[in-house]
Amino acid sequence: MSLRLRRIAIDNFRKFRQPVVIEGLTDGLNILIEPNETGKSTLLEALRAAFFMKYSTKSQLAQSYAPHGDAVAPSIKAEFQVGGDRWSVSKRFLKSPMVEVEGPQGRAQGEEAETRLHTLLGSVKDGRGAGDSSNYGTLGLLWVVQTDALAVKAPGQLVRDRIRSTLEAEVGSIMGGPAYQRVRSGVDEQFGRYWTPTAQRRGPQKDARDRLELAEKAASDAATRLAGLEQAFSDLEAERTKLKVVLRDIADDTDAQTRKDLVASLEVARSAAQVLATRKAEHEVADSKVRTLEDLDERHRHAIQNQSAAQAALAQVQEQRGALREDLTQAERGAEQARIALEGARAQRLKAHTALRAGEARAEAAQRRAALVAARNRHQELLALEAQLAAARAVVATMVPAETLEKLDENERAIGQAQAVLDAGATRIRAEGDTGGLLVDGEPLGTQERTITRETRIQVSGAEIVILPPPGTTSAQERLNAALERQQAALRDLGLPDVVAARASHDRGRDAMGEVQTLQARIAAATPADDRLGLAAGADALKALLADAVQDDDGGSGEPPDIDALRATARAAEDTVARAEGIQESAMATLRRAEEAHSPLVTTEAERRSDLAHIMTEIRGIEGRTEFATLATGLADARTARAGAAVRWEEAQQNATVHDQDAIKRKIEAIDARERAASERRAKLEKEIARLGGTIESEGGKGLAEREAAARDEVGAARAALERVTEDAEVIKLLRDTLDEARNETSAKFVGPVAQQARRYIERLLPGCELVFSEELQLEAVKRAGVSEGCEDLSHGTQEQLAVLTRIAFADLLLAQGQPVSLILDDPFAYSDDARLDLMIDILNEVSERMQVIVLTCRDRAFRHVPATRVAINAAIEAT
């Protein structure tokens, strides 16, 4: 029973922001050819959503159906035929979700429509809305999206069960035949009441669990409300008691009277504080005067004592200096004599070194004069070499370059070749004997041989002979003339008569180039550097030196001085200076020791004198103050006044302590805080009492105790019912699992027929191969020439082709069982070569005779020749 799509309408689904419709789909092979990014894969995804996705799902997959950035409702409508009956399904997702299925039984909506659709297609409702293709049944296997194109995988459990049932019908009664089917049908029916296909609890189990949860929640709510009501009575009584206490505290006027007394005490405390501040200031003034007079008296006594000590120390230092003065005088006299001797030695050394430098200068001048004479000689040699170099460079300048000479040689060869061609094809004439009467083109012929390159006329005794050379002679002559003209023009440009002269010019220039290099080397050798003259290497440096140099005068002539004698005199002077310096250092060391012994005494004497002067100044300053004359009586009076001020200050402190302002303020603030807190507490208690009274009034007449007891009874009943239903569900599940295990043990018997069905197609693709299927009916490997190859080891193209062919084999088995079958391939055979592509298209044509086949592709060239119904998306845009 083939499922045949007739019409597909899509709106607001992913890239289809505008309504589109695909019509004209026929029973056989249908091909939709569109470029990439047109929406072919989106079309297939929309079909899968319309047939298999729950309309009310909010899953991430369903969210992806909406166009990016648009808050719209994706909708799909598909019209199709199953077994000759016309059906249609319409679905809208996300916003105002809906589903409507219309068929021979009429129209259905909502969950009823979903159930009817899944029953028709043999699929399972996916409550999670996750898009699990294993729940799609037969069409989930045969509607192949791009992501599954290379997957050679086992069909889902639904498809395997249907294939097994088909094979059971073919091979006989396995697992009890009809009796097994009746038992299994009954078990499945009971299993379906208690479990979902994915073994999730449902039906009575879910209802019983929901009942228990509701009962437990109701019991918890009733108990909470009853406890709340009882707590409200207790809280109300407690709050009223607290309010009585607060009102009693507010009515008590003790704090008010206390506060009035504290305010009066605060004024007294402020007056006492002012008196205390006055007495404290009086005491501080009296105490300051006493300290000042005591300090003055103490300073005068210390100054008198320090004066006596300073005078004694000064006398002691003066006595020590007198003992050391004679040694210091002798040391100073010895140092002065050593200094005079050193200065005389240094003067002799300066004189010797001056004579040495003058002698060296005269010797250096003599060497420079000799070097300058040598430089002038080299300059004469340089001028001669530069003249030769200029002549050689002039020859090089007139040299015919090698490339020019090569061109002249090429012209010579061209002339020779043209002359040879002319000689080979030209006509030659030569006269012998008396040629006086022969004229060639009006001129005497003579006895010399002539080459005829054009029409020539010879007159002989009134007759005329016309000589016509071969046709190619004229062109050969033209080529020879052109070559000669080029050669002559080149020689004229060079100013040379012939090629021989050009070669001679080139040879002379090449020889001159070698001579130039030799002369440059000789010039470099004749112009070295000379440190005596400050002369750098090179001809330019030598010329510049001689251009700036002046003629030596005779003042520098004469015998050069004896440098060695002058140096010996200078060394002797150095030795004399060294000895004088040693003597001077010894004398200075003696002087330093004497000064080191005498210097501290000088410093100490100066310090003692300074200390004594400072002390005398201090004594005069103290004795000069006005209060010093009456210091004794003034100090006694000041001490008496300080004692009286201290007594008065102590009395003021006692009075201020009795009336502490900060303590009084803290007491007043505490009374005010208690009053505010009592008022706030009263307001809160009255609010809470009102709230609790309202709660008791609203909840007290609702019979909460009776409700709580009834809820506990319902929890017990619901828990017992859940235990019974759970036990029944587990028994049904165990029975079903046992039947499945027994059936799976015999499932291997079905692999052979499946492999035989698939081999009908795969034999054409891979001749001579054997197929290896797993117990889950998955093609695992192919055997060729006894060698097994896993499907994952095959090329992408072969894997893709095997994936399509095994699906076709399963489709044939399911079609024989009467299942709704339709084959949709999204961009198939992307990795196929031309030969296999043609083979796969032939197989699809054969398959389209039994079921509807839809191919979505972007490869126009590959499918252009295929006889099929063409449909297009871009021609299906509807007006909104």
Side-chain angles (χ1 to χ4, degrees):
M1 180 173 61
S2 178
L3 181 146
R4 297 175 177 84
L5 294 168
R6 297 305 184 194
R7 186 177 186 273
I8 306 167
I10 306 172
D11 187 14
N12 289 322
F13 192 94
R14 290 187 178 169
K15 73 183 297 118
F16 295 136
R17 297 177 183 269
Q18 301 296 327
V20 297
V21 60
I22 291 83
E23 296 180 300
L25 296 167
T26 61
D27 293 350
L29 179 60
N30 300 267
I31 299 179
L32 189 150
I33 303 176
E34 294 290 351
N36 290 329
E37 303 296 330
T38 307
K40 301 184 298 299
S41 299
T42 304
L43 171 63
L44 180 52
E45 189 64 31
L47 280 175
R48 289 159 66 99
F51 280 86
F52 306 118
M53 288 296 292
K54 186 176 178 63
Y55 73 99
S56 60
T57 180
K58 302 292 185 181
S59 67
Q60 185 176 359
L61 178 60
Q63 296 290 336
S64 72
Y65 292 161
H68 182 68
D70 293 351
V72 296
S75 60
I76 311 102
K77 181 176 182 180
E79 298 178 6
F80 58 99
Q81 283 183 285
V82 177
D85 297 328
R86 295 189 66 86
W87 292 79
S88 69
V89 56
S90 299
K91 274 191 184 180
R92 182 169 62 239
F93 294 94
L94 302 181
K95 297 182 67 175
S96 301
M98 58 79 65
V99 60
E100 181 178 279
V101 174
E102 185 174 1
Q105 293 85 15
R107 182 179 302 173
Q109 295 181 337
E111 292 296 330
E112 181 183 354
E114 293 276 21
T115 301
R116 184 179 296 182
L117 182 63
H118 287 292
T119 301
L120 175 67
L121 302 178
S123 57
V124 176
K125 288 191 290 185
D126 187 354
R128 295 169 298 172
D132 186 359
S133 61
S134 63
N135 294 329
Y136 296 171
T138 301
L139 298 181
L141 176 68
L142 300 180
W143 289 3
V144 187
V145 298
Q146 279 186 338
T147 55
D148 293 339
L150 294 178
V152 183
K153 60 183 182 180
Q157 184 64 44
L158 295 174
V159 177
R160 293 201 301 273
D161 289 344
R162 293 193 178 100
I163 292 175
R164 286 193 179 99
S165 63
T166 300
L167 295 177
E168 284 179 356
E170 292 182 1
V171 300
S173 177
I174 300 177
M175 289 293 294
Y180 168 78
Q181 293 297 334
R182 288 194 298 273
V183 172
R184 180 55 188 263
S185 175
V187 171
D188 287 344
E189 182 180 355
Q190 292 298 320
F191 183 86
R193 291 183 63 240
Y194 292 98
W195 303 94
T196 67
T198 57
Q200 302 296 318
R201 301 179 186 276
R202 67 182 296 180
Q205 282 197 101
K206 186 176 182 301
D207 295 342
R209 186 172 295 279
D210 293 344
R211 177 188 172 186
L212 176 59
E213 291 177 355
L214 291 174
E216 289 176 342
K217 185 176 184 304
S220 176
D221 292 343
T224 301
R225 293 181 64 183
L226 180 60
L229 179 60
E230 293 174 351
Q231 185 64 38
F233 280 109
S234 176
D235 292 344
L236 179 61
E237 186 63 27
E239 296 300 313
R240 284 174 175 171
T241 302
K242 294 177 183 177
L243 180 60
K244 290 178 182 179
V245 174
V246 172
L247 291 176
R248 186 172 60 249
D249 292 341
I250 293 174
D252 189 359
D253 60 351
T254 301
D255 284 345
Q257 185 60 41
T258 302
R259 189 180 190 282
K260 185 183 297 184
D261 296 340
L262 289 172
V263 170
S265 299
L266 182 61
E267 293 299 326
V268 175
R270 287 172 179 166
S271 299
Q274 292 176 356
V275 173
L276 175 62
T278 302
R279 297 293 180 261
K280 181 179 180 182
E282 291 174 352
H283 178 268
E284 288 176 352
V285 170
D287 184 66
S288 175
K289 185 174 182 179
V290 170
R291 287 197 304 272
T292 300
L293 294 176
E294 288 176 346
D295 180 67
L296 184 63
D297 184 52
E298 182 68 20
R299 286 169 54 199
H300 185 263
R301 287 199 306 272
H302 279 292
I304 297 300
Q305 294 173 0
N306 292 337
Q307 179 184 10
S308 300
Q311 290 172 348
L314 177 60
Q316 183 182 4
V317 170
Q318 289 174 345
E319 182 181 356
Q320 292 174 351
R321 282 192 64 193
L324 295 176
R325 188 172 291 112
E326 181 62 27
D327 294 340
L328 179 61
T329 301
Q330 292 179 0
E332 290 175 345
R333 190 181 302 116
E336 179 65 18
Q337 293 173 356
R339 182 185 64 78
I340 294 171
L342 178 60
E343 288 179 352
R346 286 175 175 170
Q348 290 298 324
R349 183 180 63 179
L350 177 61
K351 181 178 180 181
H353 279 289
T354 301
L356 176 60
R357 285 195 294 273
E360 289 176 344
R362 289 174 60 192
E364 184 178 356
Q367 293 175 358
R368 178 178 175 82
R369 285 194 299 273
L372 192 58
V373 171
R376 289 194 181 97
N377 295 333
R378 291 197 304 274
H379 182 259
Q380 295 300 321
E381 182 183 358
L382 171 64
L383 295 178
L385 292 174
E386 286 183 339
Q388 297 176 25
L389 179 61
R393 284 176 173 169
V395 174
V396 172
T398 62
M399 170 186 174
V400 175
E403 56 272 16
T404 303
L405 188 62
E406 290 179 0
K407 291 181 179 179
L408 292 175
D409 290 339
E410 290 178 1
N411 290 338
E412 282 293 310
R413 288 192 293 273
I415 292 172
Q417 292 173 358
Q419 185 66 53
V421 172
L422 180 62
D423 293 342
T427 301
R428 298 182 180 85
I429 60 173
R430 183 177 66 248
E432 296 179 355
D434 184 9
T435 60
L438 298 178
L439 298 175
V440 177
D441 293 334
E443 296 179 357
L445 175 60
T447 58
Q448 187 177 4
E449 182 178 273
R450 289 194 178 194
T451 300
I452 304 301
T453 59
R454 56 185 177 81
E455 179 180 325
T456 303
R457 298 177 180 272
I458 301 175
Q459 289 83 22
V460 181
S461 301
E464 188 175 61
I465 301 173
V466 179
I467 302 175
L468 299 175
T473 304
T474 303
S475 61
Q477 183 65 46
E478 292 297 331
R479 285 194 297 273
L480 176 60
N481 293 338
L484 289 171
E485 180 59 29
R486 285 197 303 271
Q487 187 73 324
Q488 292 300 323
L491 291 172
R492 282 195 302 270
D493 293 339
L494 295 173
L496 298 173
D498 50 29
V499 177
V500 175
R503 288 197 183 96
S505 174
H506 177 73
D507 293 341
R508 287 194 303 273
R510 186 173 56 192
D511 295 340
M513 289 176 64
E515 186 177 356
V516 166
Q517 295 176 353
T518 301
L519 291 171
Q520 289 174 341
R522 292 179 61 187
I523 289 172
T527 55
D530 194 333
D531 295 336
R532 295 172 298 179
L533 300 175
L535 176 65
D540 293 338
L542 179 60
K543 292 177 182 179
L545 173 68
L546 294 178
D548 297 337
V550 297
Q551 296 293 330
D552 290 340
D553 53 15
D554 295 337
S557 60
E559 291 295 328
D562 188 353
I563 298 300
D564 294 335
L566 293 174
R567 288 176 179 169
T569 303
R571 284 195 297 270
E574 288 284 352
D575 295 340
T576 302
V577 170
R579 287 192 295 271
E581 286 177 347
I583 295 171
Q584 196 263 351
E585 288 178 0
S586 177
M588 290 301 296
T590 302
L591 177 60
R592 280 195 300 272
R593 287 193 296 272
E595 288 177 345
E596 288 173 358
H598 186 264
S599 178
L601 295 177
V602 175
T603 304
T604 303
E605 182 180 0
E607 291 176 352
R608 296 293 181 268
R609 290 181 183 278
S610 175
D611 293 342
L612 181 60
H614 176 71
I615 292 169
M616 294 299 294
T617 301
E618 183 179 5
I619 291 172
R620 287 193 297 272
I622 292 172
E623 293 176 349
R625 297 182 62 172
T626 57
E627 63 266 25
F628 181 77
T630 59
L631 179 60
T633 58
L635 181 58
D637 295 342
R639 286 172 178 168
T640 301
R642 183 178 66 178
V647 171
R648 291 191 295 273
W649 182 32
E650 185 175 358
E651 291 176 353
Q653 284 179 331
Q654 291 176 355
N655 294 332
T657 303
V658 173
H659 303 284
D660 187 353
Q661 293 186 65
D662 293 337
I664 294 171
K665 289 179 180 179
R666 286 195 297 270
K667 290 178 182 179
I668 293 174
E669 290 173 356
I671 292 172
D672 293 342
R674 283 199 300 272
E675 183 179 357
R676 288 194 302 272
S679 299
E680 294 173 358
R681 179 66 172 162
R682 180 183 63 183
K684 290 181 180 179
L685 289 173
E686 288 178 348
K687 180 179 179 181
E688 183 65 14
I689 288 170
R691 185 188 68 79
L692 292 172
T695 300
I696 292 170
E697 183 179 357
S698 63
E699 296 290 323
K702 294 182 179 180
L704 295 181
E706 293 80 0
R707 291 186 182 183
E708 193 269 342
R712 286 200 307 271
D713 294 340
E714 174 61 17
V715 168
R719 185 173 289 111
L722 177 61
E723 292 175 355
R724 290 194 302 273
V725 170
T726 302
E727 182 178 358
D728 293 344
E730 293 296 337
V731 170
I732 292 296
K733 184 178 180 183
L734 177 61
L735 178 57
R736 185 175 183 272
D737 293 343
T738 303
L739 290 173
D740 286 341
E741 291 175 2
R743 186 177 184 186
N744 289 336
E745 290 177 359
T746 60
S747 63
K749 298 180 181 179
F750 306 147
V751 173
V754 172
Q756 187 64 32
Q757 183 72 23
R759 189 171 182 178
R760 293 171 48 196
Y761 302 105
I762 298 177
E763 178 70 22
R764 299 169 63 181
L765 180 70
L766 303 172
C769 74
E770 298 180 9
L771 309 179
V772 179
F773 282 84
S774 68
E775 292 184 359
E776 300 298 326
L777 302 182
Q778 177 178 355
L779 180 61
E780 292 185 332
V782 295
K783 287 185 178 180
R784 291 184 285 191
V787 178
S788 179
E789 299 177 74
C791 290
E792 66 276 4
D793 297 329
L794 300 173
S795 68
H796 286 331
T798 303
Q799 290 185 51
E800 183 182 42
Q801 295 146 18
L802 290 175
V804 173
L805 294 180
T806 52
R807 284 177 167 86
I808 292 174
F810 290 133
D812 285 341
L813 291 171
L814 295 169
L815 185 63
Q817 190 185 8
Q819 294 294 322
V821 172
S822 173
L823 183 62
I824 300 179
L825 303 176
D826 184 9
D827 267 336
F829 317 130
Y831 298 95
S832 299
D833 56 37
D834 293 342
R836 287 193 174 180
L837 177 61
D838 291 342
L839 174 61
M840 296 304 296
I841 291 174
D842 290 343
I843 293 175
L844 289 181
N845 268 318
E846 296 175 10
V847 171
S848 67
E849 297 175 0
R850 303 187 295 277
M851 66 186 75
Q852 186 184 50
V853 179
I854 300 175
V855 176
L856 311 176
T857 181
C858 60
R859 303 170 65 188
D860 180 53
R861 182 179 300 174
F863 291 89
R864 186 182 302 163
H865 65 287
V866 179
T869 300
R870 299 294 198 278
V871 292
I873 295 177
N874 56 6
I877 298 178
E878 297 180 330
T880 58

